[in-house]
Amino acid sequence: MARTVITFGTFDVFHVGHLKVIQRAAELGDRLVVGVSADELNLRKKDREPVFSEAERMAIVAALKPVDEVFLEESLELKRDYILKFSADVLVMGDDWEGRFDEFRDVCEVVYLPRTPAISTTALIEKISSAT
Ligand code: C2G
């Protein structure tokens, strides 16, 4: 039976930390499904508009070799529904989310992977905006 892995993220200003979590997630199964968070959800979650729109962020993630399918993550509260809808066997998140999704262990495996150090969208935005 094919093993489906699901992961979620904003993936704004796509960087190598995003790439690594996606590559490592894909290695845990046969099919990788990625939920890309909606602009609206991002605004609520981080209190700012993403640099790239949800359509652009989805297009970038969908074009990656390890990714089989992308969908728009419209709400953090729908995680269980998404896991069931895509018949995910494993939920993967970076360890900045450690413990936050343990409640889904009744329907799938939950794995937290170590974040790639020293890179983040916020730091990149700051670096770019301070460049002259
Ligand atoms: N990530 C990583 N290393 C970094 C930066 C990010 O491993 N240096 C991982 C995060 O841990 C996450 C994924 O990349 O698993 C996407 O990160 P974000 O775009 O910051 O996603 P986030 O806003 O945390 O959205 O439902 C959950 C949310 O949609 C997650």
Side-chain angles (χ1 to χ4, degrees), residues 33-48:
V33 179
V34 183
V36 174
S37 57
D39 291 339
E40 175 61 36
L41 168 58
N42 223 258
L43 197 57
R44 271 184 275 139
K45 203 170 56 171
K46 296 190 178 164
D47 212 25
R48 67 166 166 78

Side-chain angles (χ1 to χ4, degrees), residues 7-12 15 17-18 21 24 35 37 41-42 45-46 73 76 79 92-97 101 113-117 119-121:
T7 192
F8 296 85
T10 310
F11 303 110
D12 192 25
H15 59 67
H18 296 144
V21 80
R24 286 178 297 163
S37 57
L41 168 58
N42 223 258
K45 203 170 56 171
K46 296 190 178 164
E73 180 193 23
L76 293 177
K79 216 158 247 96
V92 173
M93 290 301 298
D95 62 4
D96 45 327
W97 291 91
F101 301 124
L113 295 174
R115 264 174 81 92
T116 301
I119 186 158
S120 73
T121 297

Side-chain angles (χ1 to χ4, degrees), residues 13-33:
V13 189
F14 196 90
H15 59 67
V16 76
H18 296 144
L19 181 62
K20 282 188 176 164
V21 80
I22 283 174
Q23 287 173 327
R24 286 178 297 163
E27 283 166 11
L28 297 177
D30 309 297
R31 168 178 173 248
L32 178 64
V33 179

